[in-house]
Each structure stands twice: as C-alpha cells, then as structure tokens.
Amino acid sequence: MIVLGIESSCDDTAVALYRPGCDEPFSEKVSRQYKIHDPYGGVVPELASRSHLEALPHITRELLDDCGIRPEDVDLVAATAGPGLTGALIVGLTFGKSLALSLKKPFVAVNHIEAHMFAATAEEEVGYPFLALVISGGHTLLAVVKSSTSYEIVGRTRDDAAGEALDKGAKILGFPMPGGLNLALAAEKGQRGTPDGRRFPRSYLKPSLDFSFSGVKTALLYHVERTRPSSEEAKNNIAADYVEAIMDVLVKKAMLAAKTYGINTIVVGGGVSANSRLRELFKNRCQGQRKNVRVIFPSMPLCTDNARMIAARGLRVYKDKGPSGLEADVFSTFIDQDEA
Ligand code: KG4
Ligand code: ZN
C-alpha cells in the first residue's frame, strides 16, 4: 500500500509517501514559507495559499521521482481538510482530489488535529485508551482516546494555544519567524532563575483540565517593557523562564488528566511536542513520583506540521470509514466549527 499525504493548512507545504511495513515507511518533501511571512510578523493567508499552489506540483513530482514511484503506483491520496487557513486548505484539498480523480484512486480527507493526536501511533504501537496532549500553534487540548475513531476532548485552551503563546512571546522578545522554534532555541542557551528573568505565572484553572496562556504572555510583555533587555544573554534567560512556565503547566495538567481518568499512557503531538524542555520535564516526572506513566512522543519530523501524519491518519480513516467523497465539504472534518 502506498499512501500520498498532502498538508497545506498553514505555512508549510508538505507531501509524503507512507509505505507501512517498509524499513523506512516515510519519505517527505517540505517547502517552508516563513521567509515569505517574516516581514509581516505573521502568516499572511493569501501569500500562504499562493505559495502552496506554486510548491505542490513541484515537491510532489520531486518526491515521486526520488522514491522511484510512478503516480499510478499510489493507492490512496490523503489531504488535510481542516482546521486551518481556508484558502490554504482548499489548495491542498483540490490538488489531492484532482490527483486522485485523474489516477482513479480513492481520496480521503484528514482532520489536522486528529493527525497530530495519532501521529506517534504511526511509529509505535500504542494500546487504547490513551490520553492525548495535542499542542500546536492553533490548538491545545487533552483528549481521552478510546479507539482510532472515538475520543473525548476533556480539556482545551480558553484563550491562546501553547504554540501561539510561544510565537507571541518570540515577537515580544524580538525573535524572527519561526518564532516558537527560535524562542525555544534561545531558551536552551539561556538559564532559568537569573535576575534577567522572573518566575512567570502559571495558570492551572483547577479543577478544570482547561488551559489558559494569555496571562503568562501578558506577564512577559510587562516584564520586557519594564526591564528592556538588550543583550542576547538577557533575552535568552527570559526565554528560558518563559518556556519553563508554559511547559510546566502542560506537563502538570497532562499528568493530572491521566490520574483523573486512570490512564497510564500519554501520547503527545503537535509542534510544541518538539520542545526539548517539555520532553525533559515529562521524563523527570515519570522517573519520579509517577513511575507508572508512560509518555510517548512522535519523532521530530512528525511533530511540527508534516504530511507524514496526514498520510498515516488518512490510511487509518480509509480503513475505518472508507473514502471521502470527492465533493467533500472543506469544513466537514472540523472537530469544532467555532475554531474555523
Ligand atoms: O503543529 P504545528 O507545526 O502547526 C499547527 O498546527 O499550528 O505547531 C506550530 C507551533 C508553533 O506555534 C511553534 O511555536 C511551536 O509549534 N513549535 C515549538 C517548537 N517548534 C515549533 N514549540 C516549542 N519548541 C519547539 N522546538
Ligand atoms: Zn499542526
């Protein structure tokens, strides 16, 4: 089985081939757009759509050629159908549907959040139920996952997503795009608990499993306005304290959710799951008082937006539910219409 996955929900255009059972099941080509958007300080939807349109045919051809696969060898085409930027989604979806139609192969529409939620399961067998922690630029949620088709969201952010708080924090500290990644790299170089930084507030909203990150972001803004850090070292130290506050809440709330629901496996997904400090904090917890909890992370290429997870989730959805109609509504796979 050869699955072609297409991801175009935001500012990365990605195509991947997924061949389950092979030694190296994934091959991928990615075209990143942050240089296009950086002068504007954020993703410009119209520029994103145009860039997807330009990149998709080229990277798909390159991917197939590099893997020595003919288009007609592809058995299934999967594309992200949402949530994301509407224009950007339409480009990838239309490309995928057209390709499937011309090749007379089935097409399947994939929910981007579900793709993050199940990304790690493409690399490692994980039993049900598990607790999913999805942490991306647009979403932060905890879900009790009962099967590949059934899950219940038990906590979500009430304001900013964790990745969004990192991106906005990067902007406050003057780091270029991709902000969250640059902030995380700065934090790795910096030191926590120096006079440059401060202990940023953590919002736990107990007993709820919801999150809130707007307070910590505002605290960073006031701290930077007050202390006006100019040296790289000072900014790195502040970044280290800021990242710590966000990761601390994510880890503690995921652990609390696991305890609340009596689940011993936590599966993390989404761009923020690439963070080294998050991984370290989870590890410390699981080596400490919560030895019975296992935390599973996707490998790096499956963390931030990628087409591998779309191909893998596409195959699962196809097996569970069959193909999507080619007329499929762009918004039909949204978890929650309010988040469109
Ligand atoms: O999943 P993703 O690539 O796209 C969305 O679906 O939103 O997540 C993007 C988010 C960004 O907001 C960025 O701040 C965050 O992932 N991110 C990171 C790292 N790399 C990307 N956060 C922490 N540490 C990283 N290394
Ligand atoms: Zn994503």
Side-chain angles (χ1 to χ4, degrees):
M1 186 82 175
I2 302 181
V3 187
L4 176 73
I6 300 165
E7 159 59 35
S8 71
S9 65
C10 191
D11 58 343
D12 289 330
T13 321
V15 287
L17 286 171
Y18 176 44
R19 287 168 283 182
C22 290
D23 285 348
E24 285 201 24
F26 291 110
S27 315
E28 185 172 26
K29 292 275 171 194
V30 186
S31 165
R32 303 207 187 275
Q33 302 179 5
Y34 53 83
K35 285 200 179 120
I36 297 173
H37 302 290
D38 192 41
Y40 304 94
V43 178
V44 183
E46 181 57 27
L47 295 180
S49 310
R50 289 181 200 199
S51 180
H52 289 309
L53 192 58
E54 275 171 28
L56 270 174
H58 297 294
I59 59 173
T60 306
R61 169 56 67 192
E62 257 175 51
L63 176 70
L64 292 171
D65 285 351
D66 284 4
C67 296
I69 287 175
R70 296 170 307 166
E72 51 272 34
D73 297 333
V74 170
D75 300 298
L76 174 69
V77 180
T80 307
L85 302 172
T86 306
L89 288 167
I90 288 173
V91 173
L93 261 183
T94 309
F95 182 79
K97 286 183 194 175
S98 312
L99 198 62
L101 194 64
S102 66
L103 297 170
K104 298 190 175 58
K105 297 293 165 71
F107 171 80
V108 66
V110 172
N111 178 298
H112 185 88
I113 307 303
E114 291 179 6
H116 278 308
M117 191 181 282
F118 291 96
T121 68
E123 298 175 310
E124 192 170 336
E125 195 134 336
V126 184
Y128 296 104
F130 63 77
L131 183 89
L133 171 66
V134 179
I135 35 182
S136 70
H139 294 79
T140 296
L141 58 86
L142 284 163
V144 174
V145 183
K146 296 162 201 158
S147 73
S148 61
T149 54
S150 157
Y151 57 89
E152 186 194 344
I153 296 175
V154 296
R156 62 203 319 162
T157 183
R158 295 189 185 172
D159 38 58
D160 291 338
E164 187 180 359
L166 293 169
D167 292 334
K168 289 177 178 170
K171 222 168 164 181
I172 292 169
L173 281 165
F175 296 121
M177 284 176 79
L181 173 61
N182 285 327
L183 181 82
L185 295 175
E188 279 176 23
K189 286 185 228 149
Q191 280 201 335
R192 294 183 295 278
T194 69
D196 293 321
R198 57 163 288 199
R199 192 180 194 287
F200 287 105
R202 278 90 160 139
S203 177
Y204 290 108
L205 305 176
K206 276 182 188 167
S208 165
L209 291 173
D210 283 349
F211 298 88
S212 167
F213 293 107
S214 65
V216 65
K217 180 194 66 187
T218 307
L220 174 70
L221 178 68
Y222 289 161
H223 182 75
V224 169
E225 279 179 352
R226 193 171 52 78
T227 61
R228 304 217 169 271
S230 52
S231 73
E232 199 182 308
E233 189 189 349
K235 286 185 184 180
N236 292 348
N237 291 343
I238 296 171
D241 282 336
Y242 184 64
V243 166
E244 186 74 3
I246 292 173
M247 302 307 157
D248 196 17
V249 171
L250 290 172
V251 170
K252 285 187 181 147
K253 296 222 75 158
M255 287 294 186
L256 175 66
K259 193 174 174 189
T260 305
Y261 287 90
I263 296 174
N264 288 337
T265 309
I266 300 175
V267 176
V268 192
V272 182
S273 66
N275 189 263
S276 58
R277 184 61 186 154
L278 178 82
R279 290 175 179 233
E280 199 172 42
L281 286 173
F282 264 124
K283 202 170 142 200
N284 293 347
R285 276 278 171 139
C286 296
Q287 282 171 351
Q289 71 261 56
R290 302 291 297 278
K291 284 201 180 66
N292 58 336
V293 178
R294 186 169 155 236
V295 184
I296 301 169
F297 288 93
S299 63
M300 288 300 166
L302 275 154
C303 289
T304 45
D305 282 353
N306 66 88
R308 299 170 190 229
M309 66 177 192
I310 303 301
R313 181 67 188 155
L315 180 58
R316 188 66 260 161
V317 171
Y318 178 68
K319 284 183 177 168
D320 288 339
K321 298 181 184 166
S324 314
L326 283 178
E327 74 288 349
D329 172 357
V330 185
F331 304 104
S332 62
T333 63
F334 278 19
I335 283 183
D336 183 342
Q337 287 287 350
D338 292 346
E339 295 177 16

